[in-house]
Amino acid sequence: DAGVIQSPRHEVTEMGQEVTLRCKPISGHDYLFWYRQTMMRGLELLIYFNNNVPIDDSGMPEDRFSAKMPNASFSTLKIQPSEPRDSAVYFCASSQRTGPSYYEQYFGPGTRLTVT
Amino acid sequence: AQSVSQHNHHVILSEAASLELGCNYSYGGTVNLFWYVQYPGQHLQLLLKYFSGDPLVKGIKGFEAEFIKSKFSFNLRKPSVQWSDTAEYFCAVNLFGNEKLTFGTGTRLTIIP
């Protein structure tokens, strides 16, 4: 398996622009997580899905952030409009509830977002 | 509120030194415990995990961790570190039956050759 795939790996955009981050989880995993990592706040869970349904979005900072999972192999995190304080590394992770690696979250390589 | 504390923010050691990184959590109930490592420029990878049974768990690359329930701790250890262990280490906890992981703030480990 190729692991969790994220795109783009780097994104530089201007304040006010819309940003869309993409994630493809590991095939067969039924949980998908979006995290944000900054120096100031560390690793924060933004939202997670189970079987494509959002379960907990309490970490989403504000209405400018939205996430969707239209099918089991694809999710997006959108920021509109973007602000400089959104600059961070955004990680996607996936996991499954069954099997020997249950509860273990597999992380993607991350998207480094810079908003100028 | 539930939380995970890693009190060591930056640890600097020489090669072959022994390592212990602290992790404490404040959760009621049964927990699952994890240590993840993030090498420079890379994504997080699982080092080891504890669900139940023997409180001393062994992970990859010679790391181990001990769960002490009475102290709400899950400290990470390695008897002899290598330069390649330079990385950031994160402790994480979830409640049994809940997929949501709470991460500590991380400990940056620098190994001097």
Side-chain angles (χ1 to χ4, degrees):
Chain A
D1 201 312
V4 176
I5 299 172
Q6 290 187 247
S7 65
R9 294 293 306 276
H10 301 274
E11 177 79 40
V12 180
T13 190
E14 292 183 347
M15 182 173 65
Q17 296 299 305
E18 177 181 295
V19 175
T20 300
L21 310 181
R22 296 172 177 80
C23 175
K24 176 179 168 55
I26 292 173
S27 177
H29 283 192
D30 49 1
Y31 285 85
L32 184 137
F33 306 82
W34 281 102
Y35 291 90
R36 177 172 68 175
Q37 186 179 38
T38 62
M39 290 291 291
M40 293 296 295
R41 301 172 68 91
L43 198 61
E44 305 172 275
L45 177 66
L46 300 177
I47 185 171
Y48 78 94
F49 296 82
N50 176 221
N51 292 323
N52 314 337
V53 176
I55 302 300
D56 186 341
D57 65 355
S58 59
M60 295 285 263
E62 49 198 271
D63 291 345
R64 299 185 297 107
F65 285 69
S66 63
K68 294 182 180 179
M69 192 165 186
N71 58 61
S73 58
F74 184 65
S75 176
T76 60
L77 178 67
K78 187 175 293 187
I79 308 172
Q80 166 64 19
S82 57
E83 296 182 3
R85 61 191 167 123
D86 301 330
S87 297
V89 181
Y90 291 81
F91 288 103
C92 177
S94 68
S95 71
Q96 59 184 9
R97 185 65 84 88
T98 58
S101 59
Y102 69 102
Y103 282 131
E104 178 181 342
Q105 294 186 19
Y106 291 78
F107 283 76
T111 295
R112 182 174 295 278
L113 173 65
T114 303
V115 183
T116 61
Chain B
Q2 298 160 340
S3 66
V4 180
S5 299
Q6 292 182 246
H7 302 293
N8 312 109
H9 297 293
H10 189 192
V11 173
I12 302 174
L13 294 172
S14 299
E15 276 194 314
S18 64
L19 169 72
E20 181 161 2
L21 302 182
C23 173
N24 290 90
Y25 63 93
S26 61
Y27 278 76
T30 303
V31 295
N32 301 313
L33 298 150
F34 306 80
W35 275 98
Y36 280 83
V37 61
Q38 186 177 27
Y39 296 103
Q42 297 189 25
H43 58 282
L44 276 80
Q45 305 168 46
L46 184 70
L47 267 181
L48 48 77
K49 60 187 178 185
Y50 172 81
F51 289 171
S52 64
D54 188 345
L56 183 63
V57 292
K58 296 192 183 300
I60 60 172
K61 304 187 180 186
F63 286 91
E64 64 180 32
E66 185 175 13
F67 170 51
I68 304 180
K69 189 174 181 179
S70 60
K71 294 185 178 180
F72 297 90
S73 71
F74 189 55
N75 291 354
L76 181 70
R77 300 195 292 245
K78 185 170 184 178
S80 176
V81 294
Q82 300 171 306
W83 178 79
S84 58
D85 293 325
T86 294
E88 188 145 16
Y89 293 81
F90 295 89
C91 180
V93 180
N94 69 350
L95 286 171
F96 181 78
N98 189 328
E99 297 293 331
K100 183 174 178 177
L101 269 182
T102 299
F103 283 84
T105 52
T107 297
R108 185 153 62 102
L109 176 65
T110 301
I111 305 300
I112 302 170

